[in-house]
């Protein structure tokens, strides 16, 4: 069985016999397909040292040269997309069209990194005082790190290191130990694109590796995406250790269905937003809040019907709409939350608890599930399910719907379906959520805007990727300059030494 | 004796008989002149509640209207400048020209807040996808707070709340309890300018008040300026409690004197930078690093001579160059550090330990002090003295000088004196300090750039005032919008209800 | 009778006996109230010379100091608002609330000029190549000029010279000779605010003066607002003479009334947009395009009713809604165009051709007029009427309405009334007009955005006021800098001359 | 003999028997190598029609999709660089390293076009008034055109159309008829990258074609690079015909050699700047102004010596430093100007009038020429020579040198050689030239800044490529939006039609 190791100084580290390892599953079959070495302290420190050593030359490389490597990287990612998507499918379970979509989003972040010469421009003022000038530079931080989740194994690393690196930093990536292969593939392509060794290093590992990254004083910043409890731990620990940090956590994304919404369009949009990638997305739309029973009834009817066509299955068949969830444990957790909703009085309208996937009986599958009459007291409402489950809450007014959203601890994404300009504007202005859709159920900002939730969905001042990430991965230096007369200009100094 | 209380909802709170109080000194006389009430938990919570109540209406006030109040505020500050400077002088000790200078810097931050309509513009993209638009808004955080130091009692609050407020937040200010009067005066002027009650509240207090601000969940952000140990405590505590924070701490600012520097100019510049405001500035230039003995000797000679003309005395006489330090304890600490330098082998060239200030024999004065042959092992080099003391370190090369600066734990400000373009450029690029001067010994960025040190001089991602402060006091919301066809445009719907 | 002269070097020029003059009317009474001296070539050249002389010192004044004068200017404008509005009313005829509104818009442009330190920041790049830096500066042009129309005698000059001046240029203003007094008043206030003499000069005159400004090589740029034929002449002549130019011309602004519009709101909005300032605004809403007869009938009915309450009269009574037009000739032209519409088959629903204004029988009044069944072939549709006349065109579809707007030679402003997000978005994207309102009939951009029409409503690349005006009044300089090693940094040069 | 025709709708137009043609020379051999068809009115109109037809779909293509084609275009340009450089060499004469350098600069403009999603962001303001929002969009102009010169046949077209096209415009390019092949090659690669047909069209021609482009009302903007008299004609004509225009003309670029300059470095830099590409660059450094005879003598001595190593010859040998000039007529003009300098009293120190290039006796060669003691009265000083000729003027002071530069009619580029920060700063601030080098003799701004001269070197408000080109190729639309309440939000309207 293959063992996946680390990438330090552009070399795959040799396997050591005394390392701890963890299994990597194929979620569609439920079988272990590989194992991954879990980095010990020494290995992580070796990666940090490699990044530290590469830093001085890299920070002095002109931004345009750094960006040139990103241009080439983008080419290579496109050329190798199928191969990467295959790796994602095998270890994560998502269907190829979904893996390709994920990768495309990541590539768009590489494109944004290509803009570095523009993005790194500082502000210059002539004459802040008489013959005194002042300007700002956005300088690199040094060695920085990213810790990324299982659910977008190819994309989330690309949210982070292209921008970090193009800003002049060097990087240590710790991807999810459940599906590290695609991240390693992608990192190798960046080296193929011309990245000097040591600028990007990848270590696999678990909490032991993470804690080294959080404690080592050479690491200047941490970007994290994962669940809220871990995000909070990462953020607090990193800050206590003098590091800059942004830590993105969980979500519970609601869509309000207004009485005037185009219901066919809404249902069509919600299908993908709720069940795509088995709901294992921090932007998954998991709660539909219908305003008025008329809207709710129509939604339930049309949605149940539309869900009949959904296919759950293995990533190898691209006709499937979505695949398994990540582990046996997670499958059981999702099913348990559906059970709890039912026990709490909600109505399971479409039941995905026992999906039949011929030939993949041991896979970690959950079928698309629709639950009506959910209320805010239920555990299934309060927690993030992270599975293919859409819950419907019925309310009497838009005001009530908005209050519910604002009261939830998470504030990642949300959406309203309406045709009315005023309702949309009121909603987007007043909702306490960082990413808002108007008739767009999955309002993931494009790569040239920034991604970030509010409340307990994000810890930190600055959002991920896009303009905010430039500021996150640089520190401001402000220079004030005055040249006192030296006589050279006034020509008093002709006998100046040649 | 007058007791200074709080300003909540634009009302001075009544004095309560059971409150704790602290004395306010006149540092020039060494006498207690007033006392200040120290807020208990209930008082701080009352201020927070006032801010919380004022928030919804204030965030909905158009930015231009909010800015209009800042325009008026600027007028009033200019009209009341003498009165404010007098209050600063009485409680802090700084001479009127210095107090006026401080206030002017604060006013310039108010001017920058006037630009809010420009500064708050978000980014808009038509067609992120077909007929899909996306834009960002920078929305207010809610109730935010500022905790400010004794050394710039009028200015530092103005670094914070004008921008916070003009961005739509409401504010609780806790100024230094040693000299709160000017901050209260200034806050009253903002209300006179038209600020609705509750938008800005001022509470006086000590650690008890600070801890309430750090723990209350209604407070969303903390901006702090003070010493590094407190800054670190504030930063860690605020973050742990889910708040955004920027905390500015101590400094040890070096000037490199190159052999080609215009020495008369350098000495002239250093005089004010080292001794102005008794050196109680986080940007005070306290170490001169002379490259080569020739430069060092010339510096010592010219500086000693120039220092003879310096006058230390009470704020009431504007002929004085600088005044007392803030407390008896601090005076003793400064003298103690001079003693230690001498004991460690440095040479006290000009000795200010026993200044004679006729008529103010009990004042907390320290005279301007020049110390030669200081080395990096000395405690007086390692610690921030925060007094009118300039230490000279001799080195053999610019490289050695820069290494020394980069090795120091602080990285607030620094400067190089040279006429050489290449030396200046190399210095500004490679020095690990946030604010850099080229022949400018006090490179405090103008109000429309941002202020911030590196290393242990600032905890947080974003600098104070200027462009960074806009981002600090707002959170990004990103909206993605698509309007599905409703038939209205295509004119299918003529019989639409009137 | 008072004769108004010029303001050069902050002095009112003495009246010369051989100058040409023109009468100034009070449009409400129809009587001549003053006369104005018309500048000959020598006078205009004197003004240019004054500006030329003031330029070197002014361009070197730090932007923040220049902005400080604008802050003070704003204060003085607010303090003198009544007096200025009175002057506007007397010479233009508009009612005080309208004159105050005009002035307020002008003041907001002064506020924007206060932001100059932010707006003038250039872009700075470290390391465009190894140790090579590059930055842009936006430098002043030199002497620039503005030529402004009668209809906003106080506001339009403030669109131009505050920004021009704060960018470091010096200025010659030629206001309309029909109502020059308010512009002179305002110019005097700017000097009271601290402007050095010669930086702003005002000459009154007609084509003779304009042609001097267009031909003198010392004048670097021309900003013009007026009618399209003159705008085109100004633009072509200025360009031929090597000057930068922006020239804003006429308009024909349409509102589309969709079947789903809130008709009461639309009528309420249109009242002010069509008849305010007697329709003498380049943003006046003069054509309502009703989609479907149902909408048209409702519009006509509600509008006719609402118009009954409108009061036309002298500026001295602030109960009046609007005043006279500017001259007898213009009154006759407006009435003639109403006649022509009637003759061409349109229906004059509310007829303002013979208004009765007791006590002001000789004033140049036209009453509010509503015309139905207007078609695109009519002269009254094709020409800009610039009077209190609202014409209604009936169409069958939004598409037809948009085609009509896109086919018109002007493209200044336009508006749609609808509640439908998709219709609004399609309209704003595809309409060939520079300023678009969604349920906002007078979509004049706020001062911190920019003002400009498309097609034959504006000649030039850059719009007026706001961000574009910064670029218009500056030229870009790009500096690329490299410092070859001189040995100073490497310390080889210790014996450098002291 | 091959005849080069046009590219319309991504098709090479068939050769027509009655077309006018012009010869294309190989300047190294002096022989005609091909001929080019000169477009008649009908052909140009066909190209415009193709662009007009492609416009609606192209403007609606999301910016990111448009940019994706530019990413691919960049790849293809790099892959085909040798082939393009070969074509440039054959028709222009420049050596391959120089042609590759030219192309690289062009590719960097394509990179900048890739940033379009960032560059096209408009400004968005929430709450310009209560619940009223305002934003700007930068919309495409429509069909635009570029007219480009012989001296950078591959690069200058890439200054223009990548940005024009990525902003949503469609384009007609008219390259120089002397060397059209590389432009056609490059245009074909853009189609290979995925550009829809009609978006870019290339017509070859002379004044007849140009005049059609200048007069056709469908063409909305003209970008031109060439000589000043033609630039002025283009600018005036385009403006008169209602088009936006930027027209870049001639230059006379001076370097000041200060007494403290590192002379070896200066000479080394000047060699390439003066003689590279035979001096046929609008940024060629053609005048060295030496301050003081000591500097002048050193310059002459070192430069004469360095020039001995320069090799002039055919593009096919990459050891050559530069090649022939473009035509026999131009060769004679350059020689004539050297003659005139000599006759006017200047001293020809190194004489390139009769170069010997074995095997290429009929080529249009001029050798590197150095002339001392040039004065401002000489014709050779006043005119642009556009050949490999460096003239030295001797002055007594920096002030005199700057005055000379400021008095020249051109203001494209300039440079100072000095080690002194103050001299450099004074120079860059006060020199009346658009592109300034500090120890950089060819201060062509990088692609992410903008290119443009002052005075008679550029007609128009906005510079070429970089940030200014985004504004040049778009028009601002400002939208103000208010949504009156429709009852939908307040929930009054539950029975809304489904």
């Amino acid at each position: 069985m293959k063992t996946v190791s680390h990438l330090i100084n552009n070399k795959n580290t040799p396997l050591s016999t005394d390392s701890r390892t963890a299994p990597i599953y194929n979620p569609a079959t439920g079988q272990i397909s590989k194992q991954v070495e879990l980095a010990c302290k020494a290995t992580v420190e070796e990666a940090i040292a490699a990044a530290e050593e590469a830093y001085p030359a890299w920070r002095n490389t002109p931004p345009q040269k750094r960006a040139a490597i990103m241009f080439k990287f983008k080419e290579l990612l496109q050329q190798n997309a199928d191969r990467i998507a295959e790796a994602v499918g095998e270890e994560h379970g998502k269907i190829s069209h979904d893996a390709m979509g994920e990768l495309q989003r990541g590539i768009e972040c590489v494109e944004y990194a290509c803009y570095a010469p523009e993005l790194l421009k500082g502000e210059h003022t002539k004459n802040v005082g008489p013959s005194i000038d002042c300007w700002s530079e956005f300088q690199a931080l040094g060695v920085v790190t990213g810790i990324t989740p299982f659910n977008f194994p190819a994309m989330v690393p690309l949210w982070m290191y292209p921008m970090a690196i193009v800003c002049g930093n060097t990087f240590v990536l710790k991807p999810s130990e459940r599906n590290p292969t695609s991240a390693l593939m992608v990192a190798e392509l960046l080296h193929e694109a011309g990245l000097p060794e040591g600028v990007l290093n990848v270590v696999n590992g678990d909490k032991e590796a993470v804690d080294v990254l959080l404690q080592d004083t050479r690491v200047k910043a941490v970007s994290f995406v994962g669940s809220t409890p871990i995000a909070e731990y990462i953020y607090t620990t990193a800050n206590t250790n003098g590091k800059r940090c942004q830590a993105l956590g969980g979500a519970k994304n609601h869509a309000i269905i207004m009485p005037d919404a185009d219901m066919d369009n809404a249902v069509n949009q919600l299908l993908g937003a709720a069940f795509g990638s088995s709901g294992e997305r921090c932007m998954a739309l998991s709660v539909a809040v219908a305003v008025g029973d008329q809207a709710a009834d129509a939604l339930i009817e049309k949605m149940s019907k539309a869900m009949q066509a959904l296919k759950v299955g293995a990533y190898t068949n691209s006709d499937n709409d979505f695949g398994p969830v990540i582990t046996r444990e997670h499958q059981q957790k999702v099913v348990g939350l559906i059970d709890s909703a039912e026990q709490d009085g909600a109505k399971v309208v479409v039941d995905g608890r026992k999906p039949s996937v011929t030939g993949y009986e041991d896979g970690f599958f959950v079928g698309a599930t629709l639950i009506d009459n959910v209320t805010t007291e239920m555990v299934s409402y309060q927690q993030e399910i992270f599975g293919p489950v859409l819950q419907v809450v019925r309310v009497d007014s838009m005001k009530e719907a908005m209050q519910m959203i604002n009261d939830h601890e998470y504030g990642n994404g949300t959406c309203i379906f309406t045709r009315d300009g005023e309702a949309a504007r009121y909603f987007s202005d007043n909702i306490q959520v960082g990413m808002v859709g108007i008739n767009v159920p999955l309002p993931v900002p494009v790569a040239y805007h920034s991604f970030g939730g509010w409340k307990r969905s994000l810890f930190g001042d600055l959002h991920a990727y896009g303009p905010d990430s430039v500021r996150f991965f640089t520190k401001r230096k402000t220079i004030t300059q005055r040249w006192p007369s030296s006589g050279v200009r006034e020509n008093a100094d002709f006998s100046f030494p040649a």
Side-chain angles (χ1 to χ4, degrees), chain A:
Chain A
M1 189 166 50
K2 187 184 171 189
T3 301
V4 175
S5 77
H6 320 289
L7 185 74
I8 298 178
N9 267 328
N10 197 22
K11 286 176 202 68
N12 289 300
T13 56
L15 296 176
S16 84
T17 48
D18 58 349
S19 290
R20 293 186 302 126
T21 61
I24 299 174
Y25 286 85
N26 177 334
T29 63
Q31 305 305 311
I32 296 175
S33 65
K34 318 189 188 72
Q35 62 179 1
V36 59
E37 200 172 86
L38 300 175
C40 61
K41 190 178 181 198
T43 301
V44 178
E45 289 184 340
E46 187 189 337
I48 296 170
E52 178 93 341
E53 195 182 335
Y55 177 63
W58 184 244
R59 83 173 276 278
N60 279 328
T61 303
Q64 203 170 13
K65 297 251 179 202
R66 297 193 302 240
I69 295 169
M70 293 297 157
F71 272 98
K72 186 68 189 168
F73 185 33
K74 172 190 146 78
E75 275 182 57
L76 295 174
L77 286 167
Q78 288 176 317
Q79 288 166 16
N80 290 275
D82 288 339
R83 201 163 66 86
I84 299 164
E86 169 81 17
V88 170
E90 187 185 327
E91 296 184 0
H92 173 280
K94 65 177 72 174
I95 315 304
S96 62
H97 48 76
D98 194 18
M100 291 294 273
E102 166 184 354
L103 182 60
Q104 176 56 26
R105 285 284 191 169
I107 290 174
E108 289 168 14
C109 290
V110 178
E111 291 176 12
Y112 195 72
C114 291
Y115 311 174
E118 182 73 15
L119 301 173
L120 287 170
K121 284 178 179 172
E123 303 177 329
H124 182 274
T125 302
K126 186 163 70 83
N127 279 350
V128 293
S131 298
I132 304 175
D133 304 328
C134 177
W135 71 94
S136 51
E137 296 179 359
F138 292 92
Q139 296 200 347
L141 304 172
V143 179
V144 300
T145 188
I147 301 165
T148 57
F150 78 85
N151 63 329
F152 286 102
M155 178 182 75
V156 174
L158 292 174
W159 284 10
M160 300 175 181
Y161 67 74
M163 182 53 69
I165 285 174
V166 90
C167 287
N169 303 284
T170 54
F171 206 91
V172 179
L173 172 69
K174 198 215 80 61
S176 170
E177 69 275 25
R178 290 187 188 139
N179 43 23
T181 299
S182 59
L184 281 160
M185 269 184 187
V186 168
E188 282 160 12
L189 292 175
L190 180 51
H191 286 92
E192 190 181 330
L195 194 76
E197 65 177 37
V199 175
L200 172 64
N201 307 278
V202 184
V203 292
N204 293 302
D206 54 11
K207 188 168 185 301
E208 181 177 339
V210 166
D211 283 342
V212 179
L213 291 169
L214 292 178
Q215 281 153 19
D216 195 294
T217 58
R218 294 170 295 181
V219 174
K220 303 304 181 195
V222 181
S223 188
F224 171 85
V225 175
S227 68
T228 286
I230 309 296
E232 192 166 21
Y233 167 75
I234 297 274
Y235 187 69
T236 307
T237 311
N239 277 326
T240 304
N241 290 330
K243 299 178 201 325
R244 178 175 294 209
C245 186
Q246 58 180 189
L248 283 69
K252 192 79 176 184
N253 305 310
H254 301 65
I256 300 183
I257 317 292
M258 292 292 285
D260 74 332
D262 174 334
M263 196 60 76
D264 289 323
N265 174 61
V267 165
N268 189 40
Q269 298 280 325
L270 284 173
L271 269 186
F275 307 119
S277 204
S278 311
E280 290 176 321
R281 292 171 175 160
C282 66
M283 287 295 276
L285 206 303
S286 55
V287 183
V289 188
V291 179
D293 281 328
Q294 194 174 341
D297 293 344
L299 174 68
I300 291 289
E301 186 198 330
K302 286 171 184 279
M303 180 59 76
S304 331
K305 202 161 169 185
M307 287 170 68
Q308 292 171 9
L310 289 178
K311 290 186 203 150
V312 57
Y315 77 97
T316 41
N317 180 354
S318 70
D319 285 344
N320 287 328
D321 292 295
F322 62 96
V325 298
I326 188 69
T327 58
R328 176 75 62 210
E329 294 68 30
H330 189 54
Q331 179 196 36
Q332 288 163 352
K333 184 191 150 197
V334 173
V335 168
L337 283 163
I338 301 171
D339 292 344
S340 82
E342 195 168 43
Q343 286 152 18
D344 289 344
K347 179 179 170 194
V348 179
V349 180
V350 181
D351 190 345
R353 282 174 286 191
K354 295 183 181 163
S356 121
V357 185
T358 312
Y360 294 89
E361 284 72 13
D362 293 332
F364 311 144
F365 295 97
V366 182
T369 300
L370 179 67
I371 312 182
D372 195 3
N373 293 318
V374 172
T375 63
T376 58
E377 297 78 27
M378 298 179 185
V379 170
S380 68
Y381 172 81
Q382 292 159 359
Q383 291 190 10
E384 184 174 26
I385 299 180
F386 228 58
V389 181
L390 178 64
Q391 300 188 92
V392 177
V393 183
R394 292 164 177 249
V395 296
D396 286 335
S397 68
M398 179 171 162
K399 187 178 171 183
E400 192 183 340
M402 285 178 65
Q403 192 62 51
M404 181 185 307
I405 297 171
N406 285 345
D407 287 344
H408 204 285
E409 72 167 318
Y410 296 127
N412 217 40
T414 190
C415 168
I416 189 169
F417 286 96
T418 184
R419 64 198 280 186
D420 187 78
E422 198 262 339
R425 202 271 182 193
Y426 183 88
F427 176 74
S428 70
D429 185 21
N430 290 287
I431 204 72
Q432 293 297 308
V433 172
M435 295 176 281
V436 180
I438 313 294
N439 298 306
V440 173
L442 218 67
V444 180
V446 285
Y448 47 103
H449 285 263
S450 289
F451 183 105
W454 286 8
K455 294 186 284 187
R456 290 176 59 78
S457 290
L458 186 149
F459 301 86
D461 306 350
L462 295 163
H463 288 189
Y465 69 69
D468 267 15
S469 67
V470 183
R471 192 69 190 82
F472 181 77
F473 285 117
T474 59
K475 51 189 174 182
R476 183 187 285 266
K477 182 181 272 187
T478 305
I479 295 137
T480 306
Q481 179 172 280
R482 174 178 170 265
W483 291 110
S485 176
S486 60
V488 169
R489 177 168 66 81
E490 297 83 346
N491 204 22
D493 218 1
F494 252 50
S495 58
F496 217 86

